[in-house]
């Protein structure tokens, strides 16, 4: 009864405002919504309001309780509108909360088919999700992942350490195969872009046909993706390709030489009789854009490229006076690949960029920063 009142009726009446749910940590709130979604799957007579409340809750988080790097929670809780912390002392972006957020979004995609839920997962994953793991040694975890300041790394073994935040995000990273692909009776979905392969069967009048699909890409370093389709015999089925919400230009070269274009935030649907060795070539623009600091950080901006938010690491730039940096909004919004020799010895990752907006400064993806005890 309490769950129905506070997590369904109250949230729908208030159009969100999750901070009004009393005495609940952010990850507990999301775990409850995950339970509601699982109940909907098991019980045929669940009211429509249950699913609607879950969708309203996620929109409340994304629009009002999420940091620019896709992380949620301040001191493990949701705060009132406009109250988002960003420094280590604010204890922001708890790994458990981020992990549960990704899991709820995946469940909502499975139940609604809405591409935006995969966009939400991608944004969290490529920034604060991977950012809470030290690229140099993933046993080192940042329980809270600040936007600015130092990452407080702690080495926690996944089997002998505290079975909480380190295990939660590790679990979601290990489950990424659940987010890579999806399948319905007559179609295959490509949701996230990464080196991967899968096989499945489609039912035909003549029996089951095995289909293998291989994906080759250096994403997110670039937006080129090759999909090779290998059915054991020619078969007609559909393929839905997710066009990321950040992508301004997305086009696909088909096996017959024709080109189709996709619209950001939607699925591009392809259907044909696929034959062994058919190849699809995807070219997506890794769109560079400015993200606004919003109500919590008025006047602040962040630069993003594709799914990755960029950041300035003190060790990469060999300077500690980062607080005085200012983005020059009069300069052109561009990111240029920089010389990888500029990265410190032992740095894990090879993405480094310069921008006219920050003269003489090098930027790396947020998820790569802090690995050498720098902000």
């Amino acid at each position: 009864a309490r769950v129905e009142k506070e997590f369904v009726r109250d949230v729908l009446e208030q159009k969100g405002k999750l901070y009004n749910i009393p005495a609940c940590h952010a990850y507990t709130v999301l775990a409850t919504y995950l339970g509601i979604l699982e109940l909907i799957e098991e019980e045929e007579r669940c009211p429509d309001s249950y699913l609607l409340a879950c969708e309203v809750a996620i929109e409340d988080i994304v629009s009002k309780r999420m940091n620019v790097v896709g992380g949620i929670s301040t001191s493990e809780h949701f705060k009132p509108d406009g109250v988002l912390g960003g420094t280590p002392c604010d204890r922001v972006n708890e790994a458990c909360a981020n992990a549960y957020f990704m899991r709820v979004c995946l469940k909502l995609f499975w139940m609604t088919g809405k591409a935006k839920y995969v966009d939400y997962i991608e944004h969290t994953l490529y920034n604060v999700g991977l950012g809470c793991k030290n690229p140099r040694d993933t046993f080192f975890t940042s329980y809270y992942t600040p936007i600015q300041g130092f990452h407080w790394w702690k080495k926690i073994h996944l089997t002998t350490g505290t079975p909480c935040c380190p295990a939660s995000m590790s679990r979601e990273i290990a489950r990424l195969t659940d987010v890579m692909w999806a399948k319905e009776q007559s179609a295959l979905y490509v949701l996230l872009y990464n080196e991967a392969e899968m096989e499945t069967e489609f039912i035909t009048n003549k029996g089951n046909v095995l289909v293998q699909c291989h994906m080759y890409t250096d994403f997110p370093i670039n937006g080129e993706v090759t999909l090779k389709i290998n059915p054991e015999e020619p078969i007609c089925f559909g393929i839905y390709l997710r066009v990321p919400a950040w992508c301004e230009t997305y086009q696909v070269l088909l096996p017959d030489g024709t080109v189709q274009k996709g619209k950001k935030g939607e699925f591009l649907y392809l259907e044909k009789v696929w034959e062994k060795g058919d190849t699809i070539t995807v070219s997506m623009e890794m769109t560079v854009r400015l993200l606004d600091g919003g109500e919590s950080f008025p006047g602040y901006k962040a630069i993003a490229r594709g799914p990755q938010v960029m950041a300035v690491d003190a060790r990469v730039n060999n300077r500690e006076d980062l607080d005085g940096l200012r983005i020059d909004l009069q300069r052109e919004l561009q990111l240029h690949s920089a010389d990888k020799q500029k990265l410190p010895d032992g740095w894990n990752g090879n993405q480094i960029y310069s921008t006219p907006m920050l003269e003489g400064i090098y930027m790396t993806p947020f998820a790569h920063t802090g690995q050498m005890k720098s902000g």
Side-chain angles (χ1 to χ4, degrees):
R2 180 196 169 192
V3 168
E4 185 171 0
K5 178 184 182 299
E6 295 177 356
F7 289 80
V8 178
R9 293 202 306 268
D10 290 354
V11 165
L12 288 177
E13 289 175 4
Q14 298 170 153
K15 297 182 180 179
K17 294 188 178 180
L18 296 191
Y19 65 89
N20 281 343
I21 297 176
C24 279
H25 289 74
Y27 78 87
T28 306
V29 172
L30 286 159
T32 302
Y33 282 114
L34 183 60
I36 291 173
L37 291 172
E38 291 174 347
L39 178 66
I40 294 170
E41 290 181 318
E42 295 295 328
E43 299 289 337
E44 296 181 357
R45 298 183 180 179
C46 277
D48 293 341
S49 59
Y50 280 31
L51 177 58
L52 180 59
C54 294
E55 294 201 79
V56 168
I58 291 300
E59 292 309 309
D60 178 74
I61 292 171
V62 171
S63 63
K64 297 177 181 178
R65 322 209 186 278
M66 175 176 281
N67 275 306
V68 71
V69 289
I72 58 176
S73 82
T74 299
S75 296
E76 301 187 359
H77 288 77
F78 291 120
K79 300 296 183 180
D81 297 2
V83 181
L84 290 175
T87 67
C89 64
D90 295 313
R91 303 197 302 170
V92 295
N93 303 330
E94 182 200 12
C96 277
N98 299 324
Y100 274 104
F101 172 77
M102 292 167 62
R103 180 57 34 175
V104 172
C105 285
L106 181 58
K107 183 75 76 171
L108 280 171
F109 168 74
W110 286 343
M111 298 177 73
T112 68
K114 296 178 181 178
K116 66 180 181 179
Y117 294 119
V118 185
D119 285 316
Y120 298 160
I121 294 171
E122 183 183 64
H123 183 54
T124 296
L125 168 68
Y126 274 97
N127 295 292
V128 75
L130 295 176
C132 78
K133 295 291 184 181
N134 191 314
R136 290 162 56 86
D137 184 343
T138 54
F139 281 125
F140 280 93
T141 298
S142 180
Y143 187 96
Y144 303 106
T145 307
I147 301 175
Q148 294 180 314
F150 290 93
H151 287 203
W152 289 341
W153 299 115
K154 184 176 181 181
K155 191 167 188 176
I156 303 176
H157 197 281
L158 297 180
T159 57
T160 61
T162 304
C164 187
C165 285
S168 290
M169 188 51 71
S170 297
R171 180 186 66 240
E172 291 311 308
I173 293 172
R175 282 176 170 174
L176 282 179
T177 50
D178 293 349
V179 196
M180 295 287 300
W181 316 88
K183 177 180 174 285
E184 58 183 18
Q185 186 174 357
S186 59
L188 176 68
Y189 287 77
V190 180
L191 303 177
L192 292 182
Y193 297 97
N194 207 329
E195 287 278 341
E197 60 181 58
M198 62 89 69
E199 64 177 34
T200 188
E201 290 185 338
F202 287 101
I203 301 173
T204 71
N205 294 333
K206 299 178 181 179
N208 293 359
V209 175
L210 180 69
V211 176
Q212 294 179 329
C213 183
H214 299 262
M215 179 159 36
Y216 306 95
T217 181
D218 285 330
F219 184 91
I221 295 175
N222 63 59
E224 302 300 311
V225 182
T226 299
L227 287 167
K228 287 192 174 180
I229 314 298
N230 288 310
E232 59 183 356
E233 61 183 68
I235 179 176
C236 182
F237 62 90
I239 297 179
Y240 288 90
L241 300 173
R242 182 182 66 92
V243 183
W246 46 260
C247 181
E248 293 293 339
T249 304
Y250 184 103
Q251 61 183 29
V252 178
L253 177 64
L254 298 176
D256 62 3
T258 60
V259 174
Q260 291 199 29
K261 296 182 178 181
K263 295 181 180 180
K264 63 181 182 179
E266 300 181 5
F267 284 103
L268 174 61
Y269 181 68
L270 311 173
E271 183 179 357
K272 69 181 290 291
V273 176
W274 301 98
E275 300 183 8
K276 191 170 184 177
D278 274 347
T279 299
I280 302 170
T281 303
V282 177
S283 297
M284 67 182 107
E285 177 189 350
M286 304 301 287
T287 308
V288 178
R289 60 212 182 277
L290 276 181
L291 306 180
D292 192 77
E295 186 177 354
S296 294
F297 301 97
Y300 281 73
K301 304 288 182 182
I303 297 175
R305 175 186 180 274
Q308 297 174 305
V309 177
M310 296 294 129
V312 179
D313 187 283
R315 289 292 179 91
V316 172
N317 289 276
N318 196 28
R319 57 183 288 179
E320 297 295 336
D321 58 332
L322 300 182
D323 290 342
L325 293 181
R326 297 290 184 272
I327 291 177
D328 186 352
L329 297 177
Q330 303 302 314
R331 304 295 296 273
E332 190 172 1
L333 175 59
Q334 293 180 338
L335 277 180
H336 305 289
S337 293
D339 185 357
K340 297 177 179 56
Q341 297 299 318
K342 298 290 185 181
L343 293 169
D345 291 340
W347 184 267
N348 193 314
N350 58 8
Q351 289 179 265
I352 179 170
Y353 305 94
S354 63
T355 174
M357 288 185 157
L358 284 170
E359 196 70 39
I361 293 295
Y362 297 102
M363 307 190 78
T364 60
F366 174 81
H368 296 186
T369 58
Q371 60 181 275
M372 303 180 78
K373 297 184 179 180
S374 293

